[in-house]
Amino acid sequence: MVTIFNTRELAIIFWGLFIVILAIYIVIKGRHFNSLSHVINSFFKLFRYPVIHISFIYLVVSFFIFYSTGIIKETDLIKDYLKLVLFVIIPLIPNVIQNYIEISLIDLMRSFVKVSTIFLFVINEYTFNFLIELFIVFTCSVLVFVLGGIDKQKGYEKLKRLLSNILGMIFIFVIAGALYKFYLNIEDINEIIFWKKMFIEILIVSHFPLLFFLKYSMYYEQIFIRIKIKTELADTSYGKIKTLYILIKHLRFNEEKLRRFLKAVFTKEMHSYDDLQIVLKN
């Protein structure tokens, strides 16, 4: 088994640092300090939103629970868990917030907890030497970037087919190499950490309460905004608490009711809490 960072992860880190350094060089040379300042300010503005604070606290608490109970005590597992958080959980948070109406958490869970996890583990864990991985990571990144750029453009069908075939051949090469190296190191299956690393993605399930909360909190936030725009029911602290109590009492986590009421807020007259309850009951 490889330790801490395998060669593919080192190659990704290398190219990532290269891009960051190149970007800093371009900013300094071109004196685009205002653009850089705008990006940094936009990033820190995210922390003004309560859902971001709640998400951060949840992730930190989850890590300490897993660490203190020994689930991810080893350095290798800590690294894999942090990768899971950085590249799977954190990207999911804005996705759920922005697409809370369309997104299905059940389908999301099914897409991550599947048999292919074992196959992907072998591919990602048994890698080539550093120089080959540098070439693979760079080539695949360029191909994916170009394909993304011409995907919806007309007149590039032959180029798209060619680049897709090249990407497919690289993937086959990576699979073959990973399976061969796994065969040479088959004794790894006798180690407990092998099985822990293989199924660490199951820990994604532990973060679904957070995603569940974010999805339904967005419904209630949008409903609250619309109620404040149209009525005076939630103008005071007492009004906000009472309105929230009435909403949760009638809507709870029933997505169909939440969607229906979200549309009804602007079309129904609500001058009192009794009116609000009448609309909620209909």
Side-chain angles (χ1 to χ4, degrees):
M1 296 284 291
V2 287
T3 57
I4 306 183
F5 295 108
N6 62 36
T7 52
R8 185 166 302 144
E9 291 164 347
L10 289 172
I12 292 170
I13 291 170
F14 174 86
W15 288 118
L17 289 174
F18 175 81
I19 292 171
V20 170
I21 293 169
L22 181 63
I24 292 172
Y25 172 76
I26 292 172
V27 168
I28 293 174
K29 188 175 181 181
R31 297 184 179 278
H32 302 299
F33 297 110
N34 289 335
S35 300
L36 180 62
S37 176
H38 179 71
V39 171
I40 294 171
N41 288 335
S42 299
F43 174 76
F44 282 105
K45 280 180 182 178
L46 290 173
F47 292 93
R48 295 190 304 183
Y49 298 101
V51 290
I52 300 299
H53 296 162
I54 293 168
S55 301
F56 179 76
I57 292 168
Y58 189 97
L59 293 174
V60 171
V61 171
S62 297
F63 172 79
F64 279 109
I65 290 173
F66 294 142
Y67 182 80
S68 60
T69 54
I71 296 174
I72 55 170
K73 201 81 170 178
E74 298 87 344
T75 306
D76 245 11
L77 292 175
I78 292 173
K79 181 257 299 182
D80 286 350
Y81 176 73
L82 292 178
K83 278 168 54 182
L84 197 71
V85 169
L86 287 172
F87 299 110
V88 179
I89 303 301
I90 289 179
L92 276 176
I93 290 173
N95 187 27
V96 171
I97 290 173
Q98 292 172 11
N99 305 299
Y100 65 96
I101 294 177
E102 298 85 5
I103 204 162
S104 167
L105 296 183
I106 300 298
D107 292 341
L108 207 58
M109 186 183 296
R110 287 173 182 164
S111 70
F112 285 112
V113 183
K114 51 191 177 183
V115 178
S116 62
T117 298
I118 300 171
F119 185 61
L120 291 172
F121 164 76
V122 173
I123 294 173
N124 292 324
E125 201 65 26
Y126 295 90
T127 58
F128 299 99
N129 67 54
F130 182 62
L131 291 177
I132 294 176
E133 289 295 341
L134 275 177
F135 174 76
I136 290 174
V137 170
F138 176 78
T139 306
C140 289
S141 300
V142 171
L143 289 174
V144 170
F145 179 78
V146 175
L147 280 169
I150 64 174
D151 185 43
K152 296 181 180 179
Q153 307 261 352
K154 292 183 179 180
Y156 292 96
E157 285 73 17
K158 289 184 178 179
L159 179 60
K160 283 191 281 187
R161 197 179 305 116
L162 174 64
L163 295 181
S164 296
N165 289 337
I166 294 172
L167 203 58
M169 286 187 288
I170 293 173
F171 187 58
I172 291 171
F173 173 72
V174 169
I175 292 173
L179 292 175
Y180 176 69
K181 195 165 183 183
F182 175 59
Y183 170 74
L184 294 179
N185 296 273
I186 194 68
E187 67 279 359
D188 286 344
I189 62 175
N190 296 321
E191 300 178 20
I192 293 175
I193 193 172
F194 173 88
W195 299 102
K196 281 187 175 183
K197 286 172 68 67
M198 179 180 290
F199 293 107
I200 196 169
E201 287 194 19
I202 293 175
L203 293 180
I204 288 177
V205 177
S206 67
H207 295 84
F208 268 75
L210 170 63
L211 301 178
F212 181 89
F213 167 78
L214 293 175
K215 176 180 173 70
Y216 287 97
S217 68
M218 290 308 298
Y219 271 112
Y220 281 101
E221 181 180 300
Q222 292 305 311
I223 288 171
F224 245 92
I225 290 171
R226 297 184 186 193
I227 287 175
K228 283 181 69 66
I229 290 173
K230 192 170 181 186
T231 75
E232 298 179 356
L233 299 179
D235 284 355
T236 64
S237 298
Y238 172 77
K240 289 176 183 176
I241 294 171
K242 186 167 183 177
T243 302
L244 182 60
Y245 170 75
I246 294 171
L247 290 173
I248 293 176
K249 178 184 175 182
H250 290 276
L251 301 175
R252 297 178 186 174
F253 299 110
N254 187 315
E255 195 164 359
E256 186 180 342
K257 287 183 178 180
L258 285 163
R259 288 184 184 182
R260 191 164 60 243
F261 185 71
L262 193 59
K263 294 178 181 178
V265 175
F266 278 141
T267 59
K268 304 292 183 178
E269 292 295 328
M270 293 178 290
H271 301 293
S272 66
Y273 296 113
D274 289 334
D275 291 339
L276 175 61
Q277 297 201 63
I278 291 170
V279 174
L280 285 166
K281 288 176 181 178
N282 294 332

